[in-house]
Amino acid sequence: MNLFSNTSSMKNKIFVQKLNLLKKISVFGKSNTKFGEGVGIVMSGYGKNAVSFFPMSNVRIFKENVDFLYNSEIKISDSFSHKIFQKKLIGLLKKIHSEDRDFKEKDWDEFKTDLYNLPEESFRIFAPIYGITMDKATFSLGDFTIYNPKYFKDQLVVEYPKIVKLINEHVKFDDNYKISVDVVAKDMEKCYELGFKAFNSFENVANFTMATFHKTKRVGIFNYSKFINFECFMLNAKMVNRSSVILEHFEEVKIDDFKLISTENDNDIIWKLITSNKNQIEQRILNSIEWCGKALIEVDDSKALLQYIIAIESLLQYDEGKFIVPSIVSQSCDTIAFLLGETYKDRIYYSTEMKKLYQIRSSITHSGKGKITSLTLHTAHVFCYKIIKKLIGTEPFNKFQNKDELYDYLHNLKYGQS
C-alpha cells in the first residue's frame, strides 16, 4: 500500500469538491437579481462574461475556498498574488461551465501546470528611504542597494539605457534617498507584494542594527517621521494658553558605515537573511531580529517590553501555540540560561532575570500595567541581542538547521552531556 499515493489522491478529491462547490454557487452571465444597498457581492467581468457570487453566505464560501486553494501549495502562493490567482481561477470556472460538466481531478492538475509554465517577471523595485545620509553614490546591504539622490538619475541612466525616455517621464527625482531590491514572480502584483515585504523586513532589521537603546536614531521606509511635534492649548475664563513640544527627534544614520556590513559583528549575515532561502532556525532568527527592531523604536515602554519578549519567544519557544504557563516560562528561562551562560553563576543570573521579565510581562497582559524601568528594557534588549548574535555567529549554534537540533543540544548541555 502506497501511503503517499493515497494521501495525494485524498487531497485531489478535496480540491475537486471545493472547485465543484465554487461552480455550484457561481452565477454566470448577467444577473437579473435586484440588489439593495449594502448587499455583499463579488463580481468578475461584465455582461455575459460576468461571474458573480451572492448573497453574503456564498461570498464567504467563495473567499474561504479561494484562500484554501491559493495556500494549498507554496509554489502558488510564492509566485502569484492572491488577486491574480483568483482571476485565473474564475477563468477556470468559466471554462468548466462552458463545457457543461463538473470538475475532475485532472482539471486542477492541468490548471496548476498552466500556472507553473507561465514566464516569470523580474523587476527591481525602488522606494524612498528616510533617516539616512551617505557620501557614496550607492551602497549595498545584502541584496538591497541604497542610492544617493545626488547621483540617482545618472545611475538609472547607466543601469537602464534602453528606457531613458520612460525614466525621465515617470520617475520622481527629488532629495530623498532611494532603496532597491530585485524581485521575481509570475505576475507584477506579486512582485510589488514581495518588494513591500522585503522593504518592511529591511526597515525592522535596519533599526535592529542601527537604532540606539535611547531611541536617537531611526531608519524608515513605510514608518518614519524625523520628529513629532505635539501641540495643545488650555482655556479658562480669563485666557488662552498654547504649548508646543517636540516628543521625538531622530539623528540621521550614516548608512555607508563599514560597521553595518562588518563580518566581525555578523551584520553581513543579517542583511542576507532578509532575501535568502532560509531554514527553520534562520527564519526564527529573522523574526526575532524584526521584533527587536520594532521594540527599539517603540515609544510605549509596555509595548516595547512585550516586543522584546516576543523576539525571544519567536526564537526559543519550543511548543508554539501554548499559553505561557509556569512550565513554559521555566523552559524558556532554562534555555536562555544554558544558551548564554558559561558558568553556574552566569546561568543563575540569566534564568533569574528572565523570570523577572516574564513577571512584568504577566502584569502587563493581565492588568494592563507593570513596573517598567529603563533597566528592565535594557536587560530585555541585551538578552535579545546576545541570543541572536550567539545563534548567528557561534558554533555549534550557527550550524543548526531546525529547532529540534537546537533543543537537543541544549537539553544535553543542561544534563551534563556536551
Side-chain angles (χ1 to χ4, degrees):
M1 177 187 238
N2 191 327
L3 184 60
F4 176 79
S5 177
N6 285 346
T7 303
S8 179
S9 178
M10 285 176 62
K11 284 178 66 177
N12 284 338
K13 284 184 171 64
I14 292 171
F15 294 140
V16 169
Q17 288 171 1
K18 290 185 177 294
L19 289 165
N20 279 322
L21 176 58
L22 286 177
K23 178 175 173 285
K24 181 180 178 180
I25 65 172
S26 301
V27 177
F28 296 94
K30 187 175 181 181
S31 173
N32 295 320
T33 305
K34 301 296 182 183
F35 299 105
E37 187 176 347
V39 172
I41 180 172
V42 171
M43 179 178 288
S44 174
Y46 300 94
K48 65 180 182 179
N49 293 317
V51 179
S52 308
F53 299 89
F54 55 86
M56 186 57 75
S57 57
N58 283 347
V59 170
R60 280 196 297 271
I61 293 171
F62 169 74
K63 291 183 176 180
E64 287 170 0
N65 284 278
V66 171
D67 288 348
F68 177 88
L69 294 168
Y70 177 69
N71 293 301
S72 63
E73 293 196 23
I74 196 74
K75 198 172 178 180
I76 293 176
S77 56
D78 277 358
S79 301
F80 293 89
S81 65
H82 190 282
K83 178 180 177 181
I84 296 301
F85 174 78
Q86 178 175 303
K87 182 178 179 181
K88 291 187 177 298
L89 188 63
I90 288 176
L92 177 63
L93 291 172
K94 289 181 181 179
K95 175 180 178 292
I96 301 302
H97 171 72
S98 68
E99 295 174 5
D100 193 24
R101 63 179 178 85
D102 287 338
F103 278 93
K104 300 175 183 176
E105 288 186 25
K106 71 178 183 68
D107 296 316
W108 175 244
D109 289 333
E110 289 174 358
F111 175 69
K112 288 190 298 181
T113 300
D114 289 342
L115 288 181
Y116 300 154
N117 287 337
L118 289 171
E120 288 184 327
E121 300 273 7
S122 178
F123 288 95
R124 178 164 294 176
I125 182 169
F126 296 80
I129 181 170
Y130 307 98
I132 67 166
T133 182
M134 66 189 222
D135 300 322
K136 298 177 180 179
T138 61
F139 185 69
S140 294
L141 291 168
D143 291 328
F144 298 85
T145 302
I146 315 292
Y147 292 80
N148 191 319
K150 293 179 184 177
Y151 315 104
F152 182 49
K153 186 172 183 178
D154 293 338
Q155 196 74 29
L156 288 189
V157 169
V158 171
E159 291 183 25
Y160 301 95
K162 295 181 180 180
I163 55 169
V164 171
K165 185 178 179 182
L166 291 173
I167 288 172
N168 289 330
E169 288 177 359
H170 299 290
V171 174
K172 183 179 180 181
F173 296 101
D174 51 29
D175 294 332
N176 293 322
Y177 287 85
K178 300 292 190 299
I179 182 171
S180 74
V181 67
D182 293 334
V183 290
V184 178
K186 297 283 189 176
D187 68 75
M188 194 178 294
E189 291 267 352
K190 188 65 181 184
C191 285
Y192 274 116
E193 182 184 313
L194 293 173
F196 295 162
K197 181 180 179 182
F199 288 148
N200 188 66
S201 289
F202 180 94
E203 181 176 283
N204 294 325
V205 172
N207 287 318
F208 172 81
T209 57
M210 303 174 206
T212 65
F213 177 72
H214 299 291
K215 307 185 193 306
T216 57
K217 295 180 180 178
R218 179 175 187 171
V219 174
I221 299 173
F222 298 105
N223 306 292
Y224 183 78
S225 59
K226 188 171 184 179
F227 60 85
I228 295 176
N229 188 31
F230 179 73
E231 295 184 357
C232 61
F233 61 90
M234 296 187 294
L235 303 177
N236 66 16
K238 297 178 181 180
M239 63 182 294
V240 175
N241 187 276
R242 296 181 62 183
S243 177
S244 177
V245 61
I246 294 176
L247 298 180
E248 296 180 17
H249 189 276
F250 300 104
E251 304 169 13
E252 288 184 332
V253 174
K254 195 169 190 310
I255 203 162
D256 51 349
D257 188 327
F258 76 95
K259 287 182 289 188
L260 294 177
I261 54 171
S262 172
T263 56
E264 292 181 11
N265 57 17
D266 299 314
N267 280 343
D268 58 325
I269 299 173
I270 290 174
W271 295 113
K272 280 288 186 182
L273 277 179
I274 301 174
T275 49
S276 66
N277 292 323
K278 292 171 279 293
N279 62 41
Q280 187 185 59
I281 288 291
E282 288 170 337
Q283 183 61 62
R284 284 183 166 219
I285 290 170
L286 180 60
N287 293 342
S288 183
I289 288 170
E290 290 203 47
W291 278 109
C292 192
K294 292 174 184 177
L296 275 164
I297 59 171
E298 175 57 63
V299 296
D300 185 315
D301 288 348
S302 294
K303 291 180 182 177
L305 180 63
L306 292 177
Q307 288 167 341
Y308 280 129
I309 292 180
I310 291 172
I312 293 171
E313 288 178 348
S314 65
L315 256 178
L316 300 180
Q317 189 172 321
Y318 189 74
D319 298 313
E320 296 94 336
K322 289 189 177 181
F323 292 110
I324 301 299
V325 296
S327 60
I328 301 294
V329 172
S330 178
Q331 181 193 75
S332 296
C333 293
D334 285 351
T335 300
I336 291 166
F338 282 89
L339 182 64
L340 299 182
E342 299 294 334
T343 66
Y344 172 80
K345 188 176 179 180
D346 288 344
R347 288 165 183 164
I348 291 295
Y349 165 76
Y350 284 118
S351 179
T352 301
E353 291 301 313
M354 193 62 211
K355 284 174 183 173
K356 289 179 183 177
L357 294 178
Y358 267 117
Q359 286 170 355
I360 299 170
R361 173 237 175 95
S362 181
S363 296
I364 295 171
T365 55
H366 290 97
S367 65
K369 57 184 179 181
K371 189 178 180 181
I372 301 175
T373 65
S374 59
L375 179 60
T376 303
L377 290 176
H378 186 261
T379 300
H381 172 234
V382 170
F383 279 23
C384 284
Y385 192 84
K386 283 188 173 183
I387 292 167
I388 290 166
K389 292 295 183 174
K390 188 87 177 243
L391 292 181
I392 288 176
T394 307
E395 291 189 2
F397 301 105
N398 58 1
K399 305 298 183 185
F400 296 145
Q401 300 286 310
N402 56 61
K403 62 184 181 181
D404 292 324
E405 292 176 359
L406 171 62
Y407 271 89
D408 285 347
Y409 178 85
L410 292 171
H411 181 269
N412 291 336
L413 192 63
K414 179 179 176 181
Y415 291 100
Q417 180 183 349
S418 58

